Amino acid sequence: MSNTQTTVSPIDGSTYVTRELADTQAITACIEKASKAQTQWKSLSIGERGELCSKMVDAFVAKKEAIGEELAWMMGRPIRYGQGEVAGMEERARHMIEIAESSLASVQLPEKSGFVRYIKREALGVVFVIAPWNFPYLTAINAIMPALMAGNTVILKHSAQTPLCAERLAQAISEAGLPDGVFQYLHLSHDATSQVIQNESIAHVCFTGSVNAGASIEKSAAGRFIGLGLELGGKDPAYVRADVDIDQAVETVIDGAFFNSGQSCCGIERIYVDASIHDEFVTKATALVNQYQLGRADNPETTLGPMVKPAAADFVRAQVQEAVQSGAVNHINENDFPMSQPGTAYLAPQLLSNVNHSMRVMTEESFGPVVGIQKVTSDQEAISLMNDSEFGLTASIFTKDIDTGIKLGEQLETGTFFINRCDYLDPALAWTGVKNSGRGCTLSSMGYEQLTRPKSFHIKTA
């Protein structure tokens, strides 16, 4: 078995990064170092930890241009959007630093004569973060920043597709002056990842990725009785009611479906449109999608980059072909996107109408630049179809009737519900999912709960 991992760029198929995988000795040393560092780190005040973490964010943001270029080459996002992830990472990190003091405050109980009672929130220990390639900094910081602010130490295993992300974060933390061992990273094989999870010094695992990989994480942790945060797949729906501002709805939903070449767990993957405006919606959506510029991610003119690898593009092609063979209508001429070629990571965007839930493209996570548009005749039909999924990460309704929209949203099986927007994460809100979209919670004050343990103090004073 090779002891190296190779990152192949989706831009041109060239080898972009090669890194040596950590062996058992390196893994053991890393975990021991994290365990020792945690004692010192948790002894600092929240304010002291926040000051150091803020310096880390400053150091990271200062490298935004180089980071944007690296993202383009590692995972194919157009370079014009690369610095947007840096801005998003900064927003989330600074918010979690800002709310740490109040979120981690002890719970004071009502006064009881002769007793002092309160509940402290204590750090867990060493937190193992396993991050994906598609939004490599945003997903990682969701767990890393609250873990650090709560007094834990962190070991990061990043995707083999985006190894430089782990190294950039470590560089920023080093420049900020955090104590040695508080944050470390390991480049790991699948077997070695399981080895880390099974180590008795690992107190919690935060994972973002596929459902199958999440199941493997659970198996590795079985019998250890540690916490797991699992953000898994999505097949997120949008419902466009008849009363909408149709131009705003089209613009928002299409961006939610095709940004990052559709490679987002909370991207829009299926659209339900009221029959009275269905045809107009499809016409306007088709015109908008045809404006995308498919090309190399390092080209500033590109608005739709390659998918992460040829196999991912071929998977989406197969979904589209099966749907069309079953009666779906494709509205985008692939010949208008000449870089789209079978066997490559370059894939033309596609809109499909006349779809239904017998088609994989409407039920199976696509994770690519395709979306199906299904006609509905009532709110209840739309809600029923939106809930007809193994996933439940986000769901959106577009309407001018906010009260009705909220009532409909209360019927949806989802972690986050939007009205008149989609594909966005507000760090002040809990990020969570239901069903096969996972379990646990990141961000907001609630995000601190899974990264701490309660300790009750029951003191008799008289």
Side-chain angles (χ1 to χ4, degrees):
M1 177 180 290
S2 173
N3 66 340
T4 61
Q5 69 177 26
T6 300
T7 302
V8 175
S9 174
I11 290 179
D12 60 5
S14 64
T15 296
Y16 186 64
V17 183
T18 300
R19 289 292 184 267
E20 184 175 350
L21 295 172
D23 58 18
T24 299
Q25 183 177 357
I27 291 170
T28 301
C30 177
I31 296 174
E32 289 178 353
K33 190 175 184 180
S35 297
K36 291 178 182 177
Q38 201 262 329
T39 301
Q40 175 193 359
W41 181 244
K42 73 175 182 180
S43 70
L44 299 180
S45 69
I46 296 173
E48 290 171 323
R49 294 197 291 264
E51 183 177 350
L52 289 168
C53 287
S54 293
K55 290 180 179 178
M56 171 265 178
V57 178
D58 293 339
F60 179 81
V61 172
K63 309 287 195 310
K64 61 184 178 181
E65 291 185 6
I67 289 169
E69 183 177 349
E70 289 168 357
L71 287 175
W73 279 94
M74 286 189 293
M75 47 77 64
R77 182 178 306 140
I79 196 166
R80 66 191 295 159
Y81 303 129
Q83 294 184 37
E85 179 151 1
V86 176
M89 180 271 199
E90 180 181 12
E91 177 190 25
R92 298 181 189 187
R94 295 203 191 281
H95 179 79
M96 295 310 288
I97 293 169
E98 180 182 339
I99 67 170
E101 197 83 50
S102 59
S103 300
L104 295 168
S106 296
V107 178
Q108 301 294 333
L109 300 181
E111 185 176 336
K112 185 176 181 180
S113 179
F115 294 91
V116 173
R117 302 172 302 156
Y118 58 94
I119 305 167
K120 286 191 67 177
R121 304 184 193 277
E122 293 206 332
L124 300 175
V126 182
V127 173
F128 184 37
V129 177
I130 307 171
W133 55 264
N134 61 318
F135 283 94
Y137 290 112
L138 296 182
T139 52
I141 208 66
N142 288 355
I144 290 171
M145 190 53 69
L148 292 176
M149 287 301 301
N152 302 291
T153 52
V154 171
I155 297 173
L156 171 64
K157 185 268 180 206
H158 225 303
S159 167
Q161 193 66 38
T162 48
L164 297 185
C165 295
E167 296 174 18
R168 280 290 184 187
L169 290 169
Q171 179 186 22
I173 281 173
S174 176
E175 291 178 6
L178 274 73
D180 191 32
V182 169
F183 176 89
Q184 300 170 86
Y185 67 87
L186 292 168
H187 299 309
L188 299 169
S189 66
H190 291 305
D191 288 343
T193 300
S194 180
Q195 178 185 336
V196 173
I197 294 170
Q198 292 164 3
N199 188 287
E200 63 181 10
S201 293
I202 298 298
H204 188 86
V205 178
C206 297
F207 170 77
T208 303
S210 70
V211 174
N212 288 338
S216 295
I217 299 295
E218 284 195 320
K219 289 178 182 177
S220 296
R224 292 221 45 234
F225 310 117
I226 60 174
L228 297 177
L230 303 172
E231 183 191 330
L232 308 178
K235 190 71 181 175
D236 292 2
Y239 169 38
V240 182
R241 299 182 78 233
D243 66 344
V244 295
D245 176 337
I246 194 166
D247 290 329
Q248 186 269 338
V250 167
E251 180 180 358
T252 305
V253 173
I254 293 304
D255 180 66
F258 293 100
F259 185 78
N260 208 43
S261 297
Q263 298 169 126
S264 172
C265 54
C266 62
I268 296 299
E269 292 215 359
R270 48 200 175 106
I271 307 171
Y272 304 97
V273 181
D274 186 273
S276 65
I277 60 169
H278 172 272
D279 292 351
E280 182 183 4
F281 183 93
V282 171
T283 297
K284 289 178 178 289
T286 300
L288 183 56
V289 172
N290 276 318
Q291 294 178 25
Y292 280 96
Q293 298 295 316
L294 176 65
R296 289 174 56 110
D298 60 342
N299 182 346
E301 301 301 315
T302 294
T303 56
L304 189 72
M307 294 190 67
V308 69
K309 58 183 62 176
D314 286 341
F315 176 83
V316 177
R317 286 188 179 97
Q319 280 191 338
V320 172
Q321 289 169 1
E322 290 177 20
V324 171
Q325 290 169 0
S326 298
V329 177
N330 56 331
H331 292 269
I332 305 299
N333 184 349
E334 191 168 346
N335 293 329
D336 292 335
F337 297 85
M339 285 200 71
S340 178
Q341 296 292 331
T344 74
Y346 290 89
L347 177 64
Q350 189 55 261
L351 283 175
L352 299 171
S353 64
N354 199 39
V355 292
N356 59 63
H357 281 213
S358 70
M359 301 173 182
R360 284 198 302 148
V361 76
M362 293 298 284
T363 58
E364 181 181 63
E365 188 172 26
S366 301
F367 220 63
V370 59
V371 68
I373 304 173
Q374 186 167 346
K375 186 184 299 184
V376 295
T377 57
S378 70
D379 288 340
Q380 288 311 309
E381 182 185 9
I383 296 302
S384 177
L385 289 168
M386 293 171 85
N387 284 337
D388 181 28
S389 175
E390 64 178 295
F391 300 107
L393 188 57
T394 78
S396 308
I397 291 179
F398 289 78
T399 181
K400 291 180 179 177
D401 187 341
I402 302 301
D403 291 339
T404 296
I406 292 172
K407 290 177 182 177
L408 295 174
E410 289 171 347
Q411 301 173 45
L412 290 171
E413 299 162 357
T414 188
T416 296
F417 168 63
F418 298 101
I419 291 181
N420 297 331
R421 79 177 313 176
C422 60
D423 190 32
Y424 179 79
L425 192 159
D426 184 334
L429 292 170
W431 189 246
T432 185
V434 300
K435 299 189 280 190
N436 278 359
S437 286
R439 73 181 193 192
C441 168
T442 58
L443 299 177
S444 79
S445 60
M446 294 183 180
Y448 277 103
E449 294 179 6
Q450 70 173 11
L451 295 165
T452 56
R453 66 169 60 89
K455 182 175 181 178
S456 295
F457 286 73
H458 193 170
I459 302 164
K460 187 175 181 180
T461 58

